[in-house]
Amino acid sequence: MVGGSGDALELMRPVFSAYASNIFHVGKLGDAQVLKLLNNLVLAANMMNAAELLKLGEDYGLDPRTVASVVQACSGGSAAMGIFAQRDVAEGLEHGAYARAHRSQVH
C-alpha cells in the first residue's frame, strides 16, 4: 500500500518491487497508513471470531487444531483461520482472550 503522488510511486516502484509482490497505490499521502489500520482491524476481528469458534469446538470436545484445519479447507476458511490451522492452537484458548490481547490496536 502506497500513499502519495503517482509520480512518487513510479519513482520508488523498483525499490518496492524488491521486497513486495503486491503494490497498491491507494491515494494521497497518509491514505496507506489508514488502509493498513483498517486491514489490521478486520484481521483482528476475524482472528477473534476464529479463536471463539475454536474455543467453542474445544468446549464440545473437539481438537482445536482439527477444527481449524477442517474449517480452513471448507467454506469458513480465511486468512485468520489459516493462521490457527498452522500452529498449536490448544494452548491459551479462552473466551475473549484474543480480543483482550489486541484491544490496544483499536484505541
Side-chain angles (χ1 to χ4, degrees):
M1 291 174 261
V2 179
S5 73
D7 290 341
L9 169 59
E10 292 312 314
L11 180 67
M12 295 304 297
R13 187 176 294 277
V15 175
F16 296 149
S17 296
Y19 64 88
S21 56
N22 294 313
I23 301 168
F24 300 99
H25 184 234
V26 299
K28 66 186 182 305
L29 195 61
D31 286 352
Q33 185 174 6
V34 172
L35 188 49
K36 177 66 174 163
L37 176 60
L38 295 174
N39 182 69
N40 288 352
L41 287 172
V42 78
L43 176 61
N46 289 341
M47 292 291 289
M48 287 185 277
N49 287 335
E52 291 295 315
L53 175 110
L54 296 175
K55 179 59 180 156
L56 184 61
E58 185 179 57
D59 290 350
Y60 278 97
L62 298 171
D63 175 64
R65 186 152 189 165
T66 299
V67 172
S69 295
V70 171
V71 170
Q72 181 60 17
C74 296
S75 61
S78 66
M81 190 61 72
I83 291 168
F84 284 118
Q86 294 175 12
R87 63 173 147 150
D88 185 9
V89 297
E91 293 182 26
L93 279 182
E94 64 177 84
H95 291 294
Y98 198 85
R100 285 189 301 278
H102 288 83
R103 188 165 286 135
S104 66
Q105 293 280 325
V106 296
H107 286 355

